[in-house]
Amino acid sequence: MATFTTRDGTTLFYKDWGDGPVISFSHGWPLSADAWDPQVFHLASHGFRCIAHDRRGHGRSSQPWGGNDMDTYADDLAQLFEHLDVKDVMMVGHSTGGGEVARYIGRHGTSRVSRAVLMGAVPPIMVQTPDNPGGLPLSVFDGFREAYLADRAQFFLDVASGPFFGFNRPGAKVSQGQIRSWWEQGMQSGFKNAYDCIKAFSETDFTEDLRKFDVPTLIIHGDDDQIVPIDAAARRSVELVPNATLKVYPGGSHSLGDTSREQLNADLLAFARS
């Protein structure tokens, strides 16, 4: 099991599969690197070196009391890149992981980065503010926290069974396996870490980070994403990232890596080879 210890003593687990140009994967809340396995396997099988880590407080990484914020997540990833001495990395981030990619570029630049992919990503900011009237009201995230504290296991089951994969839509093909996998990954996360991360992914403003992107960027989003609605996320992000390309998956859920797996795998491979 590959691990790395950050400067503040946090141990991060990571997968390092394949050989070739490097692609990194940052997962969503409250999951782990396992959420990316279909994409990591596909791209590593096509000549790429794929690195996917468990964010601090998630998966097999340690569960520190502090540092559950976007700045620290980005700094952890920067230290991992330095430890592995990787360059020309294509960074891929889903949901909260998309925020991690944005904050990494905002804080650390693109000296080690060749291109970026934001998929179902939380930037520029999820919560409703005077500058972001199309965001979700803070009461939505307060509701998340309330449900989390009341019965975390049931809350995770409800999210996975419904809006995350779009299994609450009429005619949806429900996969109990995907629900169980999501739930088990979520339950691996540290209790406080995942709680704190709700604030991190919903209230962090990535606007200035996005403006600092200077590498080819692909923004992928499902237009039926019930977790991160497309209008306040991808459609705004593409206006902020210089020369970004937006690819919309019609009817696509929040979890495109599962519900639109073949299309996403093909799109990531094509972008990596471009």
Side-chain angles (χ1 to χ4, degrees):
M1 188 169 87
T3 60
F4 161 73
T5 302
T6 66
R7 284 188 285 271
D8 74 352
T10 299
T11 300
L12 301 182
F13 166 88
Y14 65 94
K15 303 180 183 185
D16 190 348
W17 295 358
D19 295 294
V22 179
I23 305 175
S24 71
F25 294 84
S26 294
H27 63 79
W29 175 92
L31 305 175
S32 71
D34 294 356
W36 281 117
D37 276 356
Q39 288 69 51
V40 172
F41 175 78
H42 181 75
L43 289 158
S45 299
H46 284 81
F48 291 88
R49 179 185 177 187
C50 297
I51 298 166
H53 70 294
D54 290 354
R55 186 175 300 116
R56 66 169 53 212
H58 295 70
R60 289 137 294 199
S61 293
S62 58
Q63 301 178 2
W65 186 256
N68 306 302
D69 57 80
M70 283 294 171
D71 286 356
T72 308
Y73 297 158
D75 293 351
D76 286 347
L77 186 54
Q79 291 175 59
L80 179 59
F81 284 0
E82 292 165 8
H83 172 71
L84 297 174
D85 194 25
V86 291
K87 299 179 176 66
D88 298 321
V89 180
M90 180 172 111
M91 299 185 74
V92 183
H94 172 229
S95 196
T96 299
E100 183 176 279
V101 169
R103 185 49 52 93
Y104 173 95
I105 291 175
R107 285 174 70 82
H108 300 280
T110 56
S111 63
R112 292 182 181 269
V113 181
S114 63
R115 62 200 69 204
V117 179
L118 304 179
M119 185 195 83
V122 298
I125 181 172
M126 285 193 73
V127 74
Q128 187 179 71
T129 68
D131 293 331
N132 186 42
L136 297 171
L138 182 61
S139 60
V140 171
F141 304 107
D142 288 339
F144 285 1
R145 283 181 279 262
E146 181 180 351
Y148 183 98
L149 293 176
D151 189 341
R152 177 169 105 135
Q154 185 61 50
F155 175 55
F156 282 174
L157 186 60
D158 291 343
V159 172
S161 300
F164 194 89
F165 298 102
F167 290 157
N168 55 344
R169 294 306 196 204
K173 183 179 179 180
V174 177
S175 166
Q176 293 299 323
Q178 288 178 354
I179 292 169
R180 289 182 68 179
S181 176
W182 197 100
W183 185 88
E184 288 174 359
Q185 288 179 60
M187 293 302 292
Q188 278 189 297
S189 65
F191 194 96
K192 182 177 186 292
N193 307 102
Y195 179 84
D196 288 353
C197 192
I198 296 172
K199 180 179 180 67
F201 74 64
S202 64
E203 297 183 40
T204 303
D205 189 344
F206 302 98
T207 300
E208 295 307 315
D209 301 304
L210 295 175
R211 289 189 171 121
K212 294 179 180 177
F213 279 45
D214 59 1
V215 294
T217 301
L218 177 62
I219 298 173
I220 299 174
H221 218 101
D223 67 5
D224 192 34
D225 189 325
Q226 298 174 66
I227 303 296
V228 182
I230 188 172
D231 287 341
R235 296 198 196 281
R236 289 195 64 214
S237 291
V238 74
E239 296 174 354
L240 294 165
V241 177
N243 302 313
T245 299
L246 173 61
K247 183 157 192 175
V248 178
Y249 285 27
S253 74
H254 185 57
S255 187
L256 299 174
D258 298 293
T259 58
S260 301
R261 180 176 300 174
E262 291 185 6
Q263 183 179 356
L264 179 67
N265 287 354
D267 286 341
L268 291 177
L269 181 60
F271 189 60
R273 287 174 167 171
S274 64

